[in-house]
Amino acid sequence: MSGEGEFGYIRRRLAPLASGYTGAFNLTDDAAVLAVPVGCELVVTSDTLIEGVHFLPGDPPETVAVKALRVSLSDLAAMGAEPHAAMLSISWPRDGSTDLRDRFTDGLAEELSVRAVPLIGGDTTVTPGPWTITGTLFGSLPAGSAVRRAGARAGDHVYVTGTIGDAGLGLLSLQGEAGLGAAVERYRIPPVRTALASHLRGRANAMIDISDGLAADAGHLSTVSQVALDVTLADLPLSGTARDWVARQDDPDIARARLAGYGDDYELLFCAPADCHHAIQRAARETGIPITRIGQVKKGEGVRLLDGSGAPVQIDSAGFTHF
Amino acid sequence: MSGEGEFGYIRRRLAPLASGYTGAFNLTDDAAVLAVPVGCELVVTSDTLIEGVHFLPGDPPETVAVKALRVSLSDLAAMGAEPHAAMLSISWPRDGSTDLRDRFTDGLAEELSVRAVPLIGGDTTVTPGPWTITGTLFGSLPAGSAVRRAGARAGDHVYVTGTIGDAGLGLLSLQGEAGLGAAVERYRIPPVRTALASHLRGRANAMIDISDGLAADAGHLSTVSQVALDVTLADLPLSGTARDWVARQDDPDIARARLAGYGDDYELLFCAPADCHHAIQRAARETGIPITRIGQVKKGEGVRLLDGSGAPVQIDSAGFTHF
């Protein structure tokens, strides 16, 4: 990394992002002191993004910064937590330009400002490998109110926020598939569902954010909750781009199952008792974040993606198929 | 990374390291809930190690794990904090063997066990670049008692723990220099000065851990504290290996100044009022960790490394020199 050194960069560009958080000591110290809001507890999550793995070399540095924060904000929202503070460990590529660093930092500053999240620490290094960023995000919530992956009960409704499969279609577009350009933004910039956290605490019995894909993450929730999840493919919320894409495929339910297999949605999937349905609809209206009921929790184990006849669509070696 | 997948590895090898920490949820959730001990506050620090930059390709994977934890334990000790919990984001090299992973995890498990530190989260990924590990360590200390880099006052004594320059000599040895084999261990495995934390809280006015080298880190402390530090080179505590190395150099003070320029000591450098001297000597005896007085805090700015005549040795373009 050319230009000013590590310390100059931290002092000039990062330290201002710590202002207002007493325990961050303007990023001049060995560690930060965490302030826990009265009556609250802190939650913490960490995610690593690697160029060429979790984002593409052509992605704008500004959106890489936003993604680095949002993948963890999504984890916090899935616990029912509001963001509290961020740490960032950045390994700059050895041949990276100051333009890369400046544009990344611009995106970082903008997103931290919009979310009112102070930067309280981290590390900067230079790597001979690809650009690598580990974000560690702290969230706060009323003590004892964390929503877990465990806790779903037979009879609960299964809900999902936003739309499913767009990030995967965006990646396909960047890899050359036609007609999917509108989805690129969703691959680069995950949505933020933080506004729902306070509405879902005390209502959702279990929640997870969708990073590995709806089917896989529903599977994680079902395993930890020790229940089965039935998801009706026709009920998956789809963007216009995704609906058009489904219409171009041979079999709409197999196509929807593929969308449920794509990663990087960063939507919330949660299970809540049926008597919370009106409160959940109200939360969607108040936050402007769409919430769609897509299935039902049952006794048993595993996830079933159901086609129009109520039969499960499954994955075999050739991909998804009707069983 | 061949063998079992990410989830299997986390369940089999990492989840047991989380046991006993309720809010870690056996590493099955999106985030961990931090438990703050009564009357305490938490501090947090993050450090990234990259193969070929912060450790060598030939280093045993077990010691890489120990180093990944200890570089951050050192930051915690420098705040006067005892370790509370760890998070680890590991990017495995794409061509890494399961032997690498298993040996790293063995070292990790051993060190976490010895330090009684639970693993409460993190991330595992695979990178096309070099093996990269970001450790995020939480420490706890009585509320309001954090020792900072700021706070040193004119008249304070300057102290340092252990010995200086051995890690640098160990690196020289690994790069082929003869007669320094005994120092290799100190390059690979930083010391742990945690036992001093409780003794130095309330006594040290300012403290920093030495990662960039004694001279550079004394400089960081002097900048933040807005004082000058005078260090007498003849007083630097040296190991037998380092003493022998100094004896082989042309000029002993220039040689000691070079040792003060080497990084990776992970010793503590701190400033304390003169009337704490006996308490500090007692702390050294009780913990078995050597503490040596090496200088004095003065009004002014910057660090002066003083030779036998009391004149400063300085760095010019050809290296250290007498002025």
Side-chain angles (χ1 to χ4, degrees), chain B residues 15 81 138 221 252 256 271 288:
Chain B
F138 296 89
L221 188 147
R256 291 187 195 106
C271 304

Side-chain angles (χ1 to χ4, degrees), chain A residues 7 25 28-34 41-45 47-48 75 79 89 123 129-130 138 148-149 208-209, chain B residues 25 28-34 41-48 75 79 89 123 129-130 138 148-149 208-209 220:
Chain A
F7 298 115
F25 308 125
T28 61
D29 239 289
D30 289 294
V33 176
L34 291 169
E41 56 195 0
L42 294 183
V43 300
V44 57
T45 185
D47 288 282
T48 295
D75 285 318
M79 301 293 283
S89 291
D123 195 9
F138 295 90
R148 306 237 351 248
R149 292 183 182 180
I208 191 170
D209 82 312
Chain B
F25 308 126
T28 61
D29 238 288
D30 289 294
V33 176
L34 290 169
E41 57 194 1
L42 294 183
V43 299
V44 58
T45 185
S46 219
D47 288 282
T48 296
D75 285 318
M79 301 292 284
S89 291
D123 195 10
F138 296 89
R148 305 237 350 245
R149 293 184 181 180
I208 190 170
D209 82 313
H220 299 148

Side-chain angles (χ1 to χ4, degrees), chain A residues 154-177:
Chain A
D156 282 355
H157 292 180
V158 178
Y159 296 91
V160 74
T161 60
T163 58
I164 293 301
D166 294 292
L169 294 179
L171 181 57
L172 287 183
S173 173
L174 289 164
Q175 290 167 342
E177 191 154 328

Side-chain angles (χ1 to χ4, degrees), chain B residues 185-233:
Chain B
E185 196 76 357
R186 271 295 300 270
Y187 172 74
R188 289 183 173 151
I189 306 186
V192 177
R193 303 313 189 194
T194 295
L196 284 172
S198 64
H199 294 273
L200 296 180
R201 290 194 300 259
R203 295 207 170 98
N205 281 332
M207 184 151 52
I208 190 170
D209 82 313
I210 301 175
S211 53
D212 295 335
L214 184 144
D217 286 308
H220 299 148
L221 188 147
S222 93
T223 300
V224 182
S225 284
Q226 298 182 284
V227 292
L229 263 62
D230 275 5
V231 171
T232 303
L233 286 164

Side-chain angles (χ1 to χ4, degrees), chain A residues 6-297:
Chain A
E6 178 188 6
F7 298 115
Y9 167 69
I10 292 171
R11 199 170 49 240
R12 188 175 62 86
R13 294 300 315 267
L14 299 186
L17 308 180
S19 71
Y21 200 93
T22 310
F25 308 125
N26 292 314
L27 308 184
T28 61
D29 239 289
D30 289 294
V33 176
L34 291 169
V36 184
V38 175
C40 287
E41 56 195 0
L42 294 183
V43 300
V44 57
T45 185
S46 219
D47 288 282
T48 295
L49 300 189
I50 303 169
E51 183 172 13
V53 180
H54 304 94
F55 62 95
L56 297 178
D59 287 345
E62 295 87 346
T63 69
V64 173
V66 173
K67 191 173 197 172
L69 294 171
R70 291 195 179 183
V71 296
S72 291
L73 290 177
S74 180
D75 285 318
L76 296 182
M79 301 293 283
E82 275 96 16
H84 172 80
M87 295 176 73
L88 221 52
S89 291
I90 313 168
S91 298
W92 303 106
R94 198 152 49 184
D95 57 356
S97 63
T98 46
D99 181 63
L100 177 90
R101 193 174 71 178
D102 286 341
R103 291 178 58 191
F104 175 85
T105 315
D106 289 344
L108 182 69
E110 167 77 13
E111 181 71 7
L112 288 173
S113 165
V114 168
R115 309 279 154 223
V117 178
L119 183 73
I120 64 167
D123 195 9
T124 62
T125 53
V126 173
T127 178
W131 189 15
T132 301
I133 304 142
T134 296
T136 300
L137 271 281
F138 295 90
S140 70
L141 41 69
S145 70
V147 185
R148 306 237 351 248
R149 292 183 182 180
R153 283 183 289 196
D156 282 355
H157 292 180
V158 178
Y159 296 91
V160 74
T161 60
T163 58
I164 293 301
D166 294 292
L169 294 179
L171 181 57
L172 287 183
S173 173
L174 289 164
Q175 290 167 342
E177 191 154 328
L180 298 171
V184 166
E185 196 76 356
R186 270 297 299 268
Y187 172 74
R188 290 183 173 151
I189 305 185
V192 177
R193 302 316 189 192
T194 296
L196 284 172
S198 64
H199 294 275
L200 297 179
R201 290 194 300 259
R203 294 204 171 101
N205 282 333
M207 182 149 56
I208 191 170
D209 82 312
I210 302 176
S211 52
D212 296 334
L214 184 144
D217 286 309
H220 299 147
L221 187 148
S222 93
T223 300
V224 183
S225 284
Q226 299 183 287
V227 294
L229 263 63
D230 277 6
V231 171
T232 303
L233 287 164
D235 291 340
L236 289 189
L238 302 184
S239 67
T241 305
R243 278 199 306 274
D244 292 345
W245 178 83
V246 167
R248 293 198 298 274
Q249 311 303 307
D250 291 339
D251 182 316
D253 276 324
I254 297 286
R256 292 186 194 108
R258 279 182 62 193
L259 292 176
Y262 291 151
D264 293 332
D265 287 322
Y266 299 106
E267 298 288 359
L268 301 175
L269 180 138
F270 61 96
C271 305
D275 62 13
C276 288
H277 188 65
H278 290 296
I280 286 166
Q281 288 182 308
R282 200 164 51 239
R285 273 197 309 275
E286 286 179 15
T287 61
I289 299 171
I291 300 179
T292 307
R293 187 183 164 200
I294 59 166
Q296 188 85 11
V297 179

